[in-house]
Amino acid sequence: MYRVSVYVTPKAGVVDPQGAVVERALPALGHSGVHNIRVGRYITLEVEGDDAGKVSADVDDMCRRLLANPIIEDYRFDVLPVGTAAGEGT
Amino acid sequence: MYRVSVYVTPKAGVVDPQGAVVERALPALGHSGVHNIRVGRYITLEVEGDDAGKVSADVDDMCRRLLANPIIEDYRFDVLPVGTAAGEGT
């Protein structure tokens, strides 16, 4: 079992409306001096298997086909084994 | 200047419709054995200042009041200094 964290971000140069809205809202809350706000997605999942290489290849396929839009978004992910020593699966 | 990464996730026990949709879609793409999919937000921003403690307090306030909904979401964040040595601000 592997625990995977996927980070999806708008590509540099792509307009990010959510980030723009946050950037405009912050001064009204008393926070000035905040720039370059980009809002992406943070996806966590658990993948069965015992081969980290295969899990990484599978997750890359999931990212390209479902979790991210590769035309306008970048993605990266971490793959960490869980539950191998202590038998904790959750 | 500090570069901040904010991770917002649905609280444990809170229904996550996006995660459920992804979990139902993956078998059709040939990916079985994937569980506990949770979809949150990954927000990056740059904050002016030279006091990491103050920046952390400011970001915590932004999270509670704008970036996350503390009733149904958890958040955590990293604060990393940028541009202090090489003068790169972007």
Side-chain angles (χ1 to χ4, degrees):
Chain A
M1 176 89 81
Y2 289 87
R3 182 151 190 84
V4 180
S5 299
V6 179
Y7 309 86
V8 179
T9 48
K11 274 185 197 286
V14 171
V15 173
D16 174 18
Q18 285 187 89
V21 166
V22 171
E23 198 154 340
R24 277 203 300 271
L26 282 175
L29 297 176
H31 296 291
S32 55
V34 184
H35 310 289
N36 283 334
I37 303 176
R38 309 286 282 176
V39 179
R41 289 190 301 289
Y42 172 57
I43 304 155
T44 57
L45 49 150
E46 288 174 1
V47 185
E48 291 174 9
D50 49 13
D51 178 350
K54 182 180 184 309
V55 168
S56 290
D58 283 349
V59 171
D60 192 71
D61 186 67
M62 292 176 213
C63 288
R64 281 187 294 102
R65 296 172 67 195
L66 183 66
L67 301 178
N69 178 347
I71 297 171
I72 58 169
E73 293 173 325
D74 290 321
Y75 63 84
R76 62 187 167 82
F77 56 85
D78 306 323
V79 174
L80 289 175
V82 286
T84 47
E88 293 172 345
T90 317
Chain B
M1 177 88 81
Y2 290 85
R3 183 151 189 83
V4 180
S5 299
V6 179
Y7 309 86
V8 180
T9 47
K11 275 185 197 284
V14 171
V15 173
D16 174 18
Q18 284 187 89
V21 166
V22 171
E23 198 155 339
R24 276 202 300 271
L26 282 175
L29 297 175
H31 296 291
S32 55
V34 184
H35 310 287
N36 282 335
I37 303 175
R38 308 286 284 177
V39 179
R41 290 191 300 290
Y42 172 57
I43 304 155
T44 58
L45 48 151
E46 288 174 3
V47 184
E48 290 174 10
D50 49 14
D51 178 349
K54 183 180 182 312
V55 169
S56 290
D58 283 350
V59 172
D60 192 72
D61 186 66
M62 293 176 212
C63 288
R64 281 187 293 102
R65 295 173 66 196
L66 184 66
L67 301 179
N69 178 347
I71 297 171
I72 57 169
E73 293 173 327
D74 290 320
Y75 63 84
R76 62 188 167 83
F77 56 86
D78 305 325
V79 174
L80 289 174
V82 287
T84 47
E88 293 170 345
T90 317

